[in-house]
Amino acid sequence: MEVRVSNVRKEFATFPALHDVSLDIKSGELIALLGPSGSGKTTLLRLIAGLEEPTRGQIYFGEQDASHRSIQERNVGFVFQHYALFRHMTVADNIGFGLKVRPGATRPSKAEIRRRATELLNLVQLPGLENRYPAQLSGGQRQRVALARAMAIEPKVLLLDEPFGALDAQVRRELRRWLREIHDTTGHTTVFVTHDQEEALELADRVVVMSQGRIEQVGTADDVYDHPKSPFVYGFIGDSSTLPVKVENSQLWVSDRPIGLSITDEPDGPATLYFRPHEVDLLDDCGGCIAGTVVASRRVAGTRRVELEIGGARERVEIELPIEHPAAQKSRIAFRPRRWRVFPSA
């Protein structure tokens, strides 16, 4: 099922939570809504679900305008962060609940509901647990049951709101791989909300990066990481360092010296240089480069992250070094970014 969000604005009282957002979601796509708290990602998910109505704009399921249809009329499956399982019901009854409450004409038989629950338990790799209660399951198992319940109604669209947010890091990693496998098996159109960039980049076919009620960029994991289109995306996706620079005659300057980087499509004036700490070349010495004094050093897994104070600029940046690099306190390091981007100063 294709979903199209067209120029949607959502206000709560007089507060605009979404500003004229448009998004096309392809049938069978797994898409992530990624952003910090307050970016509008959960509001957008709730609008797609039918839990909220847009102040302005339309939401289409296929060719049909579903903007004012209920969640039942849209036939969506919803998975919440905190499971929302019924504690007094068994696992099988939780999974079959959406089918049991259907109107009589469309309600399957008890035997069919039980068969469907058993089938889904096998799919989510929890066979034999149909007679247990939620309190007897681990957090990861409960979230699998919640997903099975959402899929039981054979939804047109599957929506997940921070589905792994309540779980510890190791379980999150395991369930991410599992969710991708489930998606590839079932082919549901799936939209999930997360503030965890690693989760979004690993799982999604495309990532929708949001900030302050607007979509900043939509693209594959490689697109948004390697080709960020705004300072926000560069700073939010992955680690980044920034340095105030001046563009002059197509050259970048820090304080009163050029740093050996040329740019042709940026007007003269103040700007900000963005680069990834691990995408730098270390230099023995240079006539035009970035150089600074080490003021802090820490180990990060198999590398060393050092903080440099840059000469006359009195600014600090981080770069990544091989773990064996002799980056002693107060030593001086010269480098030049391999990949970088310049944005005009606001």
Side-chain angles (χ1 to χ4, degrees):
M1 171 63 69
E2 294 180 357
V3 178
R4 181 161 57 92
V5 179
S6 179
N7 299 312
V8 163
R9 182 179 180 86
K10 178 60 179 177
E11 297 175 356
F12 295 101
T14 58
F15 173 75
L18 290 177
H19 303 268
D20 301 317
V21 166
S22 293
L23 176 65
D24 290 336
I25 302 170
K26 302 168 188 173
S27 181
E29 185 173 31
L30 177 59
I31 198 162
L33 305 181
L34 173 67
S37 298
S39 60
K41 57 189 185 297
T42 294
T43 298
L44 179 54
L45 190 79
R46 290 175 64 84
L47 285 164
I48 294 172
L51 295 169
E52 304 282 355
E53 288 192 5
T55 304
R56 188 171 67 233
Q58 291 78 40
I59 297 172
Y60 294 90
F61 277 41
E63 297 300 318
Q64 295 185 332
D65 186 349
S67 307
H68 303 289
R69 290 188 173 188
S70 68
I71 187 170
Q72 292 82 9
E73 291 172 314
R74 299 183 197 202
N75 191 29
V76 299
F78 210 111
V79 180
F80 298 91
Q81 177 178 342
H82 294 289
Y83 325 125
L85 298 177
F86 298 112
R87 290 178 294 176
H88 65 287
M89 291 185 183
T90 65
V91 165
D93 287 339
N94 265 285
I95 293 173
F97 179 78
L99 298 175
K100 288 180 181 177
V101 298
R102 280 183 173 176
T106 59
R107 186 188 309 143
S109 67
K110 289 183 179 180
E112 175 59 22
I113 293 173
R114 190 77 179 183
R115 185 200 66 78
R116 179 70 173 147
T118 301
E119 179 183 85
L120 285 166
L121 276 173
N122 288 328
L123 180 65
V124 301
Q125 300 170 9
L126 295 177
L129 300 186
E130 55 266 27
N131 294 320
R132 292 195 186 180
Y133 288 86
Q136 297 172 301
L137 305 178
S138 68
Q141 289 173 329
R142 290 179 202 173
Q143 198 56 288
R144 293 183 188 218
V145 172
L147 183 61
R149 182 178 62 181
M151 292 190 296
I153 62 171
E154 298 181 336
K156 294 179 180 177
V157 181
L158 188 59
L159 305 173
L160 302 94
D161 188 7
E162 299 272 10
F164 310 135
L167 305 172
D168 64 54
Q170 181 61 35
V171 175
R172 287 173 71 112
R173 283 192 290 271
E174 292 172 0
L175 287 189
R176 285 205 296 262
R177 291 192 294 269
W178 168 79
L179 178 60
R180 183 71 233 192
E181 292 172 1
I182 291 289
H183 172 81
D184 292 342
T185 299
T186 62
H188 284 108
T189 301
T190 304
V191 185
F192 76 99
V193 161
T194 182
H195 65 273
D196 184 330
Q197 55 178 279
E198 181 182 324
E199 192 165 276
L201 296 178
E202 180 181 336
L203 261 177
D205 296 316
R206 286 190 302 154
V207 179
V208 180
V209 186
M210 300 186 67
S211 173
Q212 298 182 336
R214 293 181 171 86
I215 292 177
E216 292 275 343
Q217 187 170 346
V218 181
T220 65
D222 288 342
D223 288 337
V224 297
Y225 188 90
D226 294 331
H227 306 288
K229 293 183 178 179
S230 72
F232 174 81
V233 177
Y234 213 124
F236 187 72
I237 302 292
D239 293 333
S240 64
S241 283
T242 63
L243 187 63
V245 295
K246 179 176 63 174
V247 181
E248 187 174 304
N249 297 325
S250 299
Q251 297 294 312
L252 298 187
W253 292 63
V254 171
S255 298
D256 57 350
R257 59 195 298 264
I259 58 175
L261 299 177
S262 302
I263 188 167
T264 57
D265 55 355
E266 198 67 48
D268 286 0
T272 302
L273 172 68
Y274 285 75
F275 61 92
R276 306 288 186 197
H278 64 281
E279 294 182 330
V280 300
D281 292 321
L282 300 180
L283 306 170
D284 292 332
D285 201 1
C286 61
C289 65
I290 303 172
T293 302
V294 176
V295 293
S297 173
R298 69 184 191 277
R299 179 165 184 148
V300 179
T303 63
R304 184 169 300 282
R305 189 69 63 89
V306 298
E307 187 176 351
L308 301 179
E309 187 174 84
I310 306 300
R314 310 303 294 179
E315 297 284 343
R316 293 189 176 189
V317 301
E318 284 192 335
I319 65 170
E320 202 167 277
L321 305 175
I323 194 66
E324 68 277 3
H325 192 279
Q329 202 82 344
K330 300 300 181 184
S331 64
R332 189 164 179 79
I333 295 178
F335 71 94
R336 188 178 293 132
R338 284 195 303 273
R339 296 171 58 162
W340 48 276
R341 182 77 188 269
V342 168
F343 294 100
S345 296

